[in-house]
């Protein structure tokens, strides 16, 4: 057996004989186990970046199908023998990805912030002809009044796109009714609105719903808060969910979820039922870290322009407008506009007071009822509470967010998945995968229209 | 169970479909990849199954872009990337994974060539770790030959019959596999 290539090789040969006796090699994988590696839950129409299985050549399709059948048979045999666990996380994630190419409904429930909560449904029906799917979304942002005399504010967006319908309904706030306790809602219905536009910027379609809404009368006042940072969270959540319903993006989204999960385990519930548990989504923590590294805001504050209208007769500030540099928004730092310290008794006192402290002050007195004063470089206090809130929220979310995926091994299919632990009230997003029941009444825009609804388009 | 599969070089050249080629190569090299992962994740078979499935999926999804008629080096690159991602994601080890010690491995490579290694040396855990890491770095064919010959005790005649090559070819390839193992030991990172 020994060859004569060189003298050292004889020593290598002898050493390998000893190594072969002394070294415990990992056991070889049997045929069943090897077959399972190639049984990754792929189904026709699966969502993949690049070429899909049905774009492959016939030979490859046949080969894959044959492999799949062989793997399924191997799995069946394996189950008959009663192993502890044969479904891996990769299989479940791949099946989840495949299931997203079919009909699905997403339910958003109980996602709460301090004064806002989010509810909603996103439904995609793909039971019809290819390319003729029906999509429906309805999202409510409920803003709690900080004064019990006032109603809560239910901002709604509903959008429908089907082979026969395309519309979007929005309801936001337009101001206060004459009486106390009522807020006037603005309503609109846009016919022909595209889903793609909605998916790009879902919160932009809520009409008038700024970060903070304040209403007041002689007797009472109310504030509704939906802060910029909360909007960021909700917007990201909605875009994430809408990307899941999009065949072009769903594969990458699931790959990101899979890569981000720090802990993943698959639990066998009964013979053919498995549940994948994923948690510790590390990328959320990384995002919180990035947000915390905001630059020094001193320079940014000096660039910000603050404009306010001052009524010398009533000695009140009537309106304020704040135009911060973009970087302030990007870093999540706001400037506190507390003007309580301003001497408002006379313009002659107010303007010099500002000039002593600010870099530039321009006073426009062309309207005797209202002075317009523009100020830059005033040493307003900066408010980074929003930034801190976002950092804390994302850090907490990393620890609380879990994903469970229910996998049916007999059908090689995922039927349901759920994200839980969103926010302090254990908000959840549930995905039911497979045929959906979509009430035709819901698809009709007329169900939303009231006499106050402004209708745009035909 | 045997680790050997027949040499596929002629079959690969005949295949025009890169996806089928990748599939065939995956099947041929599966034992070697499994061994590579098993050693490096501390024997956790569930994780190994995951990595093997991901290797299968990733190679299949990217197969259409493959230009090389022999996809094995490409599959090894994917396998190494997957392992790296796995370790990065876990951010911790179980403690069972063998630790590469380049200095020790280098000394071992020298002794592997020049002296008979005593049983007490081969029984040491850190020595076994270096050998396991080096053996599982070898190509699928090299592993199959060394394991068939030295771990499973097959003769060159048996190997030649299983692999469908001549005994002379087995002898030459075994020689090169022994050299390759020494090189892997010498350059273990």
């Amino acid at each position: 057996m020994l060859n004569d290539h060189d003298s050292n090789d004889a020593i290598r040969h002898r050493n390998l004989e000893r190594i072969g006796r002394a070294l415990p090699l990992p056991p070889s994988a049997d045929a069943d186990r090897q077959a399972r590696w190639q049984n990754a839950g792929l189904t026709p129409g699966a969502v993949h970046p690049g070429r899909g299985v049905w774009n492959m050549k016939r030979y490859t399709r046949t080969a894959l199908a044959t492999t799949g059948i062989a793997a399924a048979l191997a799995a069946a045999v394996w189950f008959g023998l009663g192993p502890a666990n044969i479904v891996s996380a990769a299989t479940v994630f791949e099946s989840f990805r495949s299931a997203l190419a079919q009909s699905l409904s997403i339910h958003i429930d109980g996602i709460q912030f301090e004064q806002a909560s989010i509810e909603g449904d996103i439904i995609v029906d793909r039971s019809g002809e290819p390319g003729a799917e029906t999509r429906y979304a309805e999202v409510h942002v409920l803003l709690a009044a900080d004064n019990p005399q006032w109603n809560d504010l239910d901002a709604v967006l509903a959008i429908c796109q089907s082979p026969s319908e395309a519309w979007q309904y929005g309801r936001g706030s337009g101001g206060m009714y004459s009486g106390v306790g009522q807020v006037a809602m603005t309503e609109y219905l846009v016919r022909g609105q595209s889903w793609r536009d909605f998916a790009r910027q879902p919160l932009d379609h809520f009409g008038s719903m700024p970060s903070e809404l304040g209403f007041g009368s002689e007797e009472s006042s109310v504030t509704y808060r939906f802060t910029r940072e909360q909007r960021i969270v909700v917007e990201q959540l909605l875009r994430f969910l809408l990307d899941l319903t999009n065949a072009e993006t769903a594969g990458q989204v699931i790959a990101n979820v899979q890569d981000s999960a720090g802990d993943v385990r698959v639990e066998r519930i009964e013979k053919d039922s498995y549940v994948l548990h994923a948690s510790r989504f590390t990328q959320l923590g990384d995002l919180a870290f990035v947000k915390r590294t905001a630059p020094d805001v001193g320079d940014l504050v000096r660039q910000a322009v603050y404009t306010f209208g001052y009524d010398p007769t009533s000695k009140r500030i009537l309106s304020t407008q704040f135009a911060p540099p973009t970087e302030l928004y990007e870093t999540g730092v706001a400037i506190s506009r507390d003007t309580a310290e301003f001497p408002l008794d006379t313009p002659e006192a107010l303007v010099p007071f500002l000039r002593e402290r600010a870099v530039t002050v321009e006073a426009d007195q062309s309207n005797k009822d209202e002075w317009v004063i523009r100020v830059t470089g005033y040493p307003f206090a900066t408010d980074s509470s929003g930034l801190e809130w976002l950092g804390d929220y994302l850090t907490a979310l990393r620890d609380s967010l879990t994903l469970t995926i229910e996998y049916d091994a007999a059908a090689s299919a995922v039927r349901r998945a759920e994200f839980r632990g969103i926010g302090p009230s254990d908000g959840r997003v549930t995905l039911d995968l497979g045929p959906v029941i979509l009430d035709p009444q819901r698809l009709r825009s007329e169900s939303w229209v009231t006499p106050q609804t402004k209708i745009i388009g035909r | 169970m045997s680790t050997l599969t027949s040499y596929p070089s002629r079959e690969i050249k005949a295949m025009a479909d890169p996806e089928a080629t990748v599939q065939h190569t995956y099947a041929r090299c599966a034992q070697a990849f499994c061994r590579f992962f098993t050693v490096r994740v501390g024997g956790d078979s569930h994780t190994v199954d995951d990595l093997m499935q991901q290797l299968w999926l990733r190679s299949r999804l990217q197969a259409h872009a493959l230009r090389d008629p022999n996809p094995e080096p490409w599959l090894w690159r994917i396998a190494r990337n997957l392992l790296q991602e796995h370790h990065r994601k876990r951010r911790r080890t179980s403690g069972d994974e063998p630790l590469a010690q380049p200095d020790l491995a280098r000394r071992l490579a020298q002794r592997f060539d020049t002296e008979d290694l005593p049983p007490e040396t081969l029984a040491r855990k850190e020595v076994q770790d270096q050998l396991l890491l080096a053996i599982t770095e070898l190509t699928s064919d090299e592993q199959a030959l060394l394991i068939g010959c030295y771990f499973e005790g097959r003769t060159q005649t048996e190997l030649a019959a299983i692999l469908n090559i001549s005994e002379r070819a087995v002898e030459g390839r075994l020689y090169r596999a022994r050299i390759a193992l020494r090189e892997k030991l010498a350059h273990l990172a």
Side-chain angles (χ1 to χ4, degrees):
Chain A
M1 178 161 174
L2 178 62
N3 59 65
D4 57 0
H5 285 290
D6 65 35
S7 57
N8 287 351
D9 195 50
I11 302 173
R12 284 184 216 121
H13 170 72
R14 287 199 300 275
N15 278 332
L16 265 166
E17 284 183 327
R18 293 190 181 94
I19 290 168
R21 288 192 292 271
L23 192 65
L25 273 186
S28 300
D30 61 22
D32 288 343
R33 190 174 173 208
Q34 290 189 55
R36 288 200 305 278
W37 295 335
Q38 297 175 42
N39 176 26
L42 292 168
T43 57
V47 182
H48 296 302
R51 293 180 66 183
V53 67
W54 296 108
N55 289 336
M56 295 175 181
K57 292 181 178 173
R58 177 180 293 183
Y59 170 80
T60 312
R61 284 206 311 265
T62 311
L64 287 171
T66 311
T67 310
I69 292 165
L73 286 172
V77 170
W78 186 258
F79 267 113
L81 299 173
N85 192 350
I86 70 153
V87 172
S88 73
T91 300
V92 179
F93 273 117
E94 189 54 37
S95 289
F96 186 22
R97 200 185 315 215
S98 300
L100 290 169
Q102 303 158 20
S103 299
L104 73 154
S105 68
I106 299 173
H107 182 60
I108 306 165
D109 186 25
I111 297 176
Q112 281 196 309
F113 305 109
E114 286 152 357
Q115 278 190 284
S117 60
I118 316 298
E119 310 279 336
D121 289 298
I122 301 170
I123 301 167
V124 180
D125 184 355
R126 294 190 171 109
S127 60
E129 293 293 312
E133 59 194 28
T134 296
R135 293 166 171 267
Y136 177 83
E138 182 179 328
V139 180
H140 293 253
V141 179
L142 192 70
L143 304 183
D146 68 351
N147 182 336
Q149 293 180 39
W150 293 69
N151 292 336
D152 291 345
L153 197 154
D154 182 13
V156 184
L157 184 85
I159 180 163
C160 168
Q161 185 169 310
S162 73
S164 58
E165 298 267 6
W167 54 265
Q168 177 177 301
Y169 170 83
R171 185 174 69 203
S173 166
M176 185 185 67
Y177 270 139
S178 54
V180 173
Q182 291 292 321
V183 175
M185 307 301 285
T186 54
E187 296 181 38
Y188 68 91
L189 177 74
V190 182
R191 296 197 191 280
Q193 180 69 29
S194 82
W195 181 276
R196 188 184 291 266
D197 283 345
F198 160 67
R200 203 174 289 137
Q201 297 288 343
L203 279 191
D204 279 4
H205 299 263
F206 273 89
S208 172
M209 199 173 65
S211 297
E212 185 172 307
L213 284 170
F215 300 97
S217 70
E218 292 298 322
E219 300 170 13
S220 159
S221 66
V222 66
T223 302
Y224 300 102
R225 285 203 177 84
F226 185 43
T227 68
R228 177 182 166 275
E229 289 74 22
Q230 291 166 356
R231 284 176 64 101
I232 288 173
V233 172
V234 175
E235 174 124 18
Q236 292 296 320
L237 172 69
L238 286 176
R239 286 169 75 168
F240 169 79
L241 297 176
L242 290 165
D243 282 348
L244 283 179
T245 68
N246 181 344
E248 291 173 8
T249 52
Q252 189 57 51
V253 172
I254 293 302
N256 291 345
V257 168
Q258 187 176 358
D259 288 346
S260 169
D263 279 337
V264 179
R265 65 189 168 85
V266 179
E267 180 187 5
R268 190 181 193 189
I269 304 300
E270 49 190 56
K271 187 183 176 198
D272 289 323
S273 294
Y274 294 81
V275 175
L276 178 145
H277 303 268
S279 58
R280 289 184 61 246
F281 291 91
T282 51
Q283 284 175 11
L284 288 168
D286 294 343
L287 182 58
F289 175 76
V290 170
K291 292 286 177 188
R292 281 178 192 280
T293 57
D296 182 1
V297 295
D299 288 341
L300 305 179
V301 169
R302 276 189 282 282
Q303 299 166 38
V305 180
Y306 180 61
T307 307
F308 60 91
Y310 166 65
D311 177 7
T313 309
S314 65
K315 299 169 184 171
R316 285 169 52 195
I317 289 178
L318 298 176
S319 64
T320 62
Q321 189 183 358
F322 178 58
T326 313
E327 295 95 316
L328 271 188
Y329 275 132
E330 286 175 353
T331 53
V333 178
I335 290 183
S336 166
R337 282 163 285 167
D338 183 3
T339 55
E341 63 181 282
F342 288 9
L344 299 175
D345 291 345
T346 63
E348 290 72 22
L350 173 61
V351 174
F353 173 86
L354 293 171
R355 286 204 167 115
E356 274 179 30
R357 291 160 178 81
V359 174
T360 66
V361 178
E362 292 174 26
D364 179 354
Q365 304 161 34
S366 55
N367 181 350
K368 70 179 177 62
D369 295 330
E370 181 183 348
W371 286 33
V372 176
I373 303 173
R374 290 183 193 82
V375 182
T376 62
Y378 188 87
F380 292 107
T382 53
D383 177 8
S384 60
S385 58
L387 172 67
E388 285 155 14
W389 178 88
L390 187 61
D392 292 345
Y393 186 88
L394 292 172
T395 304
L397 189 61
R398 181 191 56 191
D399 296 333
S400 65
L401 183 68
T402 61
L403 166 65
T404 54
I405 305 174
E406 296 174 17
Y407 178 73
D408 178 351
S412 292
V414 167
R415 304 285 186 219
R416 176 176 259 239
E418 188 168 69
F419 292 93
R420 293 192 64 160
I422 306 172
S425 57
D426 192 23
R428 66 185 68 181
V429 173
T430 309
L431 292 90
D432 286 300
L433 304 147
V436 295
I437 299 170
L438 195 46
D439 182 359
Q441 191 63 26
R442 252 181 139 175
L443 303 181
R444 297 181 62 242
S445 59
E446 289 78 7
S447 62
W448 290 99
V449 174
T450 71
Q452 285 76 42
T453 307
K454 182 181 179 185
I455 298 177
I456 303 162
R458 288 184 299 149
Chain B
M1 183 186 167
S2 170
T3 59
L4 297 175
T5 48
S6 63
Y7 278 92
S9 48
R10 273 191 295 273
E11 296 162 55
I12 284 177
K13 280 174 190 159
M15 285 177 192
D17 186 338
E19 285 152 357
T21 307
V22 167
Q23 189 183 356
H24 191 277
T25 308
Y26 176 93
R28 181 174 63 80
C29 303
Q31 296 285 11
F33 291 130
C34 177
R35 226 175 275 124
F36 172 79
F37 288 136
T38 305
V39 164
R40 284 159 181 78
V41 301
D44 177 353
S45 64
H46 182 68
T47 300
V48 172
D49 285 347
D50 251 12
L51 290 167
M52 288 301 293
Q53 285 193 344
Q54 288 185 50
L55 176 62
W56 159 246
L57 287 168
R58 205 172 282 191
S59 60
R60 221 205 60 189
L61 290 171
Q62 296 170 10
H64 63 278
L66 184 69
R67 298 288 173 269
D68 194 331
N70 177 15
E72 184 175 343
W74 175 73
L75 283 169
W76 277 108
R77 281 199 297 279
I78 298 177
R80 289 194 179 90
N81 288 341
L82 282 169
L83 189 74
Q84 218 167 25
E85 285 171 26
H86 168 77
H87 285 318
R88 199 165 44 230
K89 209 159 64 182
R90 290 285 291 264
R91 292 182 181 178
R92 61 175 189 271
T93 58
S94 68
D96 297 331
E97 297 91 343
L99 200 63
Q101 299 181 40
D103 288 343
L104 173 62
R106 230 180 347 262
R107 288 199 301 275
L108 203 56
Q110 278 177 344
R111 296 178 67 189
F112 180 64
D113 249 7
T114 54
E115 62 178 278
D116 289 336
L117 294 167
E120 56 271 23
T121 299
L122 292 174
R124 282 166 53 197
K125 166 85 166 59
E126 62 272 25
V127 169
Q128 291 194 348
D129 283 354
Q130 311 315 303
L131 289 166
L132 277 173
L133 288 169
I135 288 171
T136 52
E137 283 269 334
L138 295 170
T139 66
S140 164
D141 293 345
E142 289 165 347
Q143 287 190 39
L145 275 166
L146 290 184
I147 291 170
C149 179
Y150 296 108
F151 290 76
E152 295 173 353
R154 295 180 192 276
T155 63
Q156 287 192 6
T157 311
E158 285 174 334
L159 290 171
I162 293 169
L163 300 172
N164 199 23
I165 53 178
S166 69
E167 284 188 46
R168 185 76 189 161
V170 169
E171 187 183 315
R173 288 177 187 186
L174 266 173
Y175 169 75
R176 288 194 292 276
R178 288 190 288 267
I179 301 269
L181 177 60
R182 186 206 176 283
E183 290 305 304
K184 290 290 180 194
L185 272 173
H187 299 102
L188 203 62

